[in-house]
């Protein structure tokens, strides 16, 4: 079993109990092998099982133990990147598919909840987009025009969002959005998969994915799965070395949840257009109290060292606007894979032989994008054409000026980070400066070493070089992990993989090299 790495806890993690599943013990032969047991993987496996396919889901950790448990679970067809921006890249036809597919995803979740009788706090409610004080609000008019061209119905500009504690000013109202408890939903779907004859295995990392006429998945625990199709539904594809990762960038986002008196805030989804934007929703906590969930303060993964400060900023922003906020009950963070053109990548993996599919690039809309994956991938694997396929095609290339600028900017950032980190000194001059339960990167000659001092005071060392493509990892003092600033790989304090695309741990340091010869 892997070490449990969670240092922060989301409200979902605290209020749901998901039964454990076994480790894969023997070779299997199925129609479809799904790698990754988050919202995308479980939704896809569930839909395929419903269609009569034999399926197996494997995950390197537990069900929903990746980013699905770290979402704020907004179910929205209001595009995170704004339809007015997406339209510049994909045109009217593209935004129509985006709007149609996200709307269909919310409907699909509602349908499954109803048909399966899932108690997961699913609710329909409106959403409101507003601007920060002092910012012009014409962006709302542009968004209304673009979203209307996209086919969304019932949108309107209102004088203010229905919040009594502060005046948002003009707001764009999106009707019929949704919210739910993601872990209760995923847990039930996993049980349904097994009831339909499918298999779900935990603590079963994947070592290699092979495509072709007879695809297979080799696991690190020994057994091999032979399938007709393979779906890689990890947050970032673990079967791809380079191609897809040039089209995406990993960002960390931060969340707090505070107690408020039940009924003191109108239920809805709320988003602002600030540069470090904020998103807000409520969740029932006790009979007398709700939780107000506030997220935002995003930044590129592995490229800041003020993670705790992000939570303080969210708290200050919230208390300035919601005077009834009480105790902060939960603080957590999550990783978002932002694509250069605002759309997810769902379909055949262009870097593989045939019969290998991927779902990645959530772009801040993971719950609906994951559900879209379940709809679209099922149809593709069944051999059907689908009108969404071209829009979400992982093989697509940046076609507009904005998409190209994002592509160049993000990859320039990766290249710069790579060079600077290799040429710079260490983050500290010596491991002696480390407090307990703290890590740092040290330079030793030509090498860089990731050093962690555990709670007992013992030092643990491994290479600071990410095994994916050789970037230097950075210590995340909030989550107590090593983050790769290039493509989002994450490792626990001892160097074991937590999040792909890396599939192997940080290499151990060669203890045979004398300490004095390593100094530099």
């Amino acid at each position: 079993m892997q070490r449990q790495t969670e240092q922060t806890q989301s409200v979902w993690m605290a209020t749901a109990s998901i039964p454990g599943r076994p480790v894969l013990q023997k070779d299997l032969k199925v129609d479809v092998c799904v790698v990754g047991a988050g919202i995308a993987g479980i939704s896809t496996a569930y839909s395929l099982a419903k269609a009569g396919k034999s399926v197996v889901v494997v995950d390197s950790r537990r069900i929903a133990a990746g980013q699905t448990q770290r979402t704020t679970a907004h179910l929205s067809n209001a595009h995170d990147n704004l339809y007015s921006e997406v339209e510049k890249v994909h045109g009217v036809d593209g935004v129509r598919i985006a709007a149609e597919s996200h709307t269909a995803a919310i409907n699909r979740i509602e349908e499954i909840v109803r048909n399966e009788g899932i108690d997961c706090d699913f609710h329909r409610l409106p959403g409101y987009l507003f601007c920060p004080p002092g910012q012009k609000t014409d962006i709302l008019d542009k968004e209304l025009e673009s979203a209307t061209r996209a086919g969304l119905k019932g949108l309107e500009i209102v004088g203010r969002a229905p919040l009594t504690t502060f005046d948002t000013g003009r707001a764009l109202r999106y009707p019929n959005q949704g919210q739910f408890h993601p872990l209760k939903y995923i847990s039930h779907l996993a049980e349904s998969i097994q009831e339909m004859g499918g298999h779900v295995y935990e603590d079963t990392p994947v070592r290699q994915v092979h495509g072709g006429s007879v695809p297979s998945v080799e696991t690190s625990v020994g057994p091999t799965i032979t399938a007709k199709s393979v779906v890689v539904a990890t947050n970032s594809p673990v079967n791809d070395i380079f191609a897809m990762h040039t089209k995406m960038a990993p960002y960390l986002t931060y969340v707090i949840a505070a107690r408020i008196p039940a009924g003191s805030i109108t239920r809805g989804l709320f988003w602002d257009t600030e540069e470090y934007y904020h998103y807000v929703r409520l969740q029932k906590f006790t009979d007398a109290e709700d939780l107000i969930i506030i997220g935002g303060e995003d930044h590129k993964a592995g490229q800041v060292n003020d993670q705790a400060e992000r939570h303080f900023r969210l708290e200050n922003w919230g208390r300035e606007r919601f005077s009834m906020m009480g105790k902060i009950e939960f603080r957590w963070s999550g990783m978002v894979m932002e694509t250069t053109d605002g759309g997810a990548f769902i379909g055949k993996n262009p870097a593989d032989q045939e019969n290998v599919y991927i779902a990645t690039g959530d772009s801040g809309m993971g719950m609906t994008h994951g559900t879209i994956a379940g709809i679209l991938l099922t149809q593709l694997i069944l051999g059907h054409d689908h009108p969404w396929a071209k829009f979400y095609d992982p093989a697509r290339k940046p076609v507009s000026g904005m998409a190209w600028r994002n592509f160049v900017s993000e990859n320039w950032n990766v290249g710069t980070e790579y060079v600077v980190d290799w040429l710079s000194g260490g983050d500290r001059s010596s491991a002696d400066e480390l407090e307990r339960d703290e890590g740092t990167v040290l330079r030793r000659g030509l090498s860089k070493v990731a050093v962690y001092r555990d709670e007992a005071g013992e030092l643990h060392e491994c290479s600071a070089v990410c095994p994916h493509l050789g970037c230097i990892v950075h210590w995340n003092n909030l989550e107590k992990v090593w983050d790769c600033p290039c493509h989002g790989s994450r490792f626990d304090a001892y160097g074991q993989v937590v999040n792909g695309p890396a599939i192997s741990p940080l290499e151990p340091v060669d203890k045979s090299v004398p300490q004095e010869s390593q100094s530099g």
Side-chain angles (χ1 to χ4, degrees), residues 300 303 408-418 485-486:
K300 193 78 177 286
Q303 298 190 20
V408 171
S409 174
E410 291 293 0
N411 285 284
W412 179 264
N413 172 271
V414 168
T416 301
E417 189 73 21
Y418 179 92
C486 294

Side-chain angles (χ1 to χ4, degrees), residues 6 52 60 193 219 294 327 451:
E6 286 81 19
S60 64
I193 291 167
T219 68
I294 303 174
K327 176 187 175 185
V451 183

Side-chain angles (χ1 to χ4, degrees), residues 138-180:
D138 56 350
I139 188 174
L140 303 178
D141 301 294
K142 293 178 182 178
E143 187 63 9
L144 174 59
E145 293 171 4
S146 188
T148 300
R149 284 193 294 271
L152 295 183
K153 307 294 185 184
L155 280 69
E156 61 176 335
I157 300 288
V158 295
R160 61 183 289 174
L163 298 168
T164 59
T165 55
F166 79 103
D167 185 357
T168 63
R170 297 174 76 232
L172 177 56
R173 182 182 186 273
Y174 295 80
N176 217 24
Q177 308 299 288
Q179 65 179 45
F180 72 156

Side-chain angles (χ1 to χ4, degrees), residues 294-446:
I294 303 174
E297 291 291 334
D298 298 18
H299 65 80
K300 193 78 177 286
Q303 298 190 20
V304 306
N305 58 5
D306 64 348
Q307 292 90 350
E309 176 65 24
R310 305 281 166 157
H311 282 147
F312 289 126
R313 292 179 200 167
L314 288 178
E315 182 176 355
N316 289 338
W317 184 91
R319 292 196 186 282
E320 287 175 1
R321 290 159 177 80
F322 303 101
S323 57
M324 75 290 289
M325 273 179 59
K327 176 187 175 185
I328 305 296
E329 195 69 29
F330 301 99
R331 293 179 174 88
W332 72 94
S333 69
M335 185 178 290
V336 175
M337 301 303 297
E338 291 285 358
T339 64
T340 56
D341 66 2
F345 297 113
I346 303 168
K348 290 184 177 181
N349 186 29
D352 270 309
Q353 294 175 292
E354 60 180 333
N355 298 320
V356 177
Y357 302 81
I358 59 173
T360 187
D362 57 277
S363 295
M365 303 179 74
M367 297 300 99
T368 45
H369 270 142
T371 306
I372 291 167
I375 298 170
L376 177 54
L377 293 179
T378 296
Q379 293 302 304
L380 296 179
I381 290 170
L382 292 177
H384 305 316
D385 293 331
H386 199 284
W388 304 345
K390 184 178 179 180
F391 178 80
Y392 288 111
D393 185 3
R396 70 182 188 271
K397 294 178 172 59
V399 293
S400 75
M402 186 188 77
W404 268 112
R405 286 192 296 274
N406 290 342
F407 178 85
V408 171
S409 174
E410 291 293 0
N411 285 284
W412 179 264
N413 172 271
V414 168
T416 301
E417 189 73 21
Y418 179 92
V419 172
V420 169
D421 281 349
W422 269 105
L423 294 179
S424 65
D427 297 333
R428 305 278 184 95
S429 59
S430 168
D432 294 339
E433 301 175 19
L434 283 177
E435 301 291 336
R436 297 189 180 207
D437 197 25
E438 189 177 30
T440 194
V441 173
L442 302 179
R443 173 171 287 284
R444 292 188 182 150
L446 297 178

Side-chain angles (χ1 to χ4, degrees), residues 30 55-56 58 64 67 192 208 226 228 270 297 335 361 386 390 422 431 484 508:
V30 293
V55 298
V56 60
V58 293
Q67 300 313 307
S192 295
Q208 191 78 42
T226 304
K228 297 176 183 177
F270 304 94
E297 291 291 334
M335 185 178 290
H386 199 284
K390 184 178 179 180
W422 269 105
C484 176

